[in-house]
Amino acid sequence: MSVVVAVTVSAVLVLWATAGGTTTPPIHDPAMPARSYAPAARSDVEPFTVFSDAGHGVVRPRDVAAGSDGNLWFTAANDRVGRITPEGEITLFSDPASRLRQPDRIVPGPDGALWFTALNGRVGRVTASGDITTFVVAEDGASPVGLAAGPDGNVWYTVNDQIGRITPTGEHTTFDGTPAGVYLPMHITAGPDGNLWFTNLDGQIGRITPDGQITTFDTSGADVAFPGEIVTGGDGNLWFTSPGSNRIGRITPQGHVDSFDGASAGVEEPSAITSGSDGNLWFTNGNDHIGRISRDGQITTYDASGADVRTPFGITAGPDGNVWFTSLNSNGIGFIRPSLVEAG
């Protein structure tokens, strides 16, 4: 079942957010020094390599994304955005002047920068040279959750019961999702059909067109519970995690939903998901495993605990053909080599 509602723009905040009735520009300080160094330790346990950094500046890394510069970029809980080369050299960027607080989701943007959410109601961007800018997109204690570059050259995000859009220059717009039954939208991604797709805390999957028309799709018949991250797969469908039912879900652009049970393969609370260069989908797992699901639904998990992985969290396909992930509770950034595991 689907519900289609053409929604109107609920708010347009032109160019910069206002505070106390005063228009304020985006805040950044390009003079903030960066800190570059080799990681504290490297662990090679095939098919994994993990760079651990306890005590050296990377604290609870959350999300990771591939940048246009050929490196991986990540967010850390100690108000840092980091860059790691495929060889493991880490550079940390911080910018107190930009009011950067606990950056979370990070994605490549349409302008060559990396864009991220922050837990103080902001969306930010960091250039390849480490120049950080943040924009206020939510107030009253709310913070954006999901983030994705859209096909329209803008960046899209979720916040409260709304879907937001921000231009590369900081002009942002929100679309009210409540008429279409949107309740606490979570993660969002660009779909294969020119629209944005998002997960909803109540179990629905949503779609929003670039002009703000929202559709929601019921997943109750597919054993989906609290869907998490969502990504477009190489098969032209959208794939998402379902941590509440230990399953991986799939939805076609036409709205047909099914899911695959991961319990027999050791799936426990899957979280982030990405499309790998090998044609499979890869996901993080709450039991220190990295998972893979083929396009026909075959699931395999790989134990990463021997490589000092503790709570893998974010995941992305790297420019080197490997699948990179963060290790939240061991302060690490690592990767798995699809070439070293059996074909899916």
Side-chain angles (χ1 to χ4, degrees), residues 27 31 72 81 104 127 133 155 157 201 221 225 236 263 270 278 337:
I27 304 170
L72 286 303
V81 175
D104 189 11
T127 66
T133 308
V155 176
Y157 59 92
L201 190 63
D278 60 346
R337 299 172 179 83

Side-chain angles (χ1 to χ4, degrees), residues 15 103 126 161 169 183 236 313 318 331:
L15 217 52
V126 57
D161 298 333
T169 56
Y183 174 71
F313 205 71
N331 303 312

Side-chain angles (χ1 to χ4, degrees), residues 53-260:
D53 195 56
H56 286 73
V58 176
V59 176
R60 294 177 65 80
R62 298 185 62 81
D63 200 16
V64 61
S68 60
D69 59 350
N71 297 309
L72 286 303
W73 290 74
F74 61 92
T75 54
N78 59 334
D79 304 337
R80 303 288 191 273
V81 175
R83 180 182 66 208
I84 183 169
T85 67
E87 297 74 34
E89 181 180 349
I90 293 172
T91 304
L92 291 176
F93 301 94
S94 62
D95 188 357
S98 73
R99 299 174 187 168
L100 174 62
R101 298 291 183 273
Q102 296 188 46
D104 189 11
R105 182 77 169 131
I106 189 168
V107 299
D111 55 353
L114 280 295
W115 286 72
F116 57 87
T117 60
L119 298 186
N120 58 344
R122 294 173 182 262
V123 168
R125 64 187 294 274
V126 57
T127 66
S129 59
D131 184 11
I132 295 173
T133 308
T134 65
F135 306 91
V136 176
V137 298
E139 298 180 350
D140 300 325
S143 292
V145 179
L147 194 70
D152 57 350
N154 299 309
V155 176
W156 291 71
Y157 59 92
T158 61
V159 61
N160 287 340
D161 298 333
Q162 301 175 328
I163 307 299
R165 179 183 66 204
I166 184 168
T167 70
T169 56
E171 181 180 347
H172 55 101
T173 306
T174 55
F175 301 91
D176 182 14
T178 54
V182 173
Y183 174 71
L184 294 180
M186 300 300 288
H187 295 281
I188 188 168
T189 194
D193 56 351
N195 299 309
L196 285 297
W197 290 73
F198 59 91
T199 56
N200 218 29
L201 190 63
D202 64 358
Q204 296 187 93
I205 303 298
R207 180 185 67 203
I208 182 169
T209 65
D211 62 357
Q213 180 172 288
I214 295 176
T215 307
T216 55
F217 300 92
D218 184 11
T219 67
S220 59
D223 197 13
V224 172
F226 308 113
E229 285 202 14
I230 185 169
V231 69
T232 295
D235 58 350
N237 297 311
L238 294 113
W239 293 74
F240 58 91
T241 58
S242 177
S245 60
N246 297 324
R247 301 175 79 92
I248 305 298
R250 177 179 62 191
I251 182 169
T252 69
Q254 295 74 37
H256 175 73
V257 183
D258 59 359
S259 70
F260 301 90

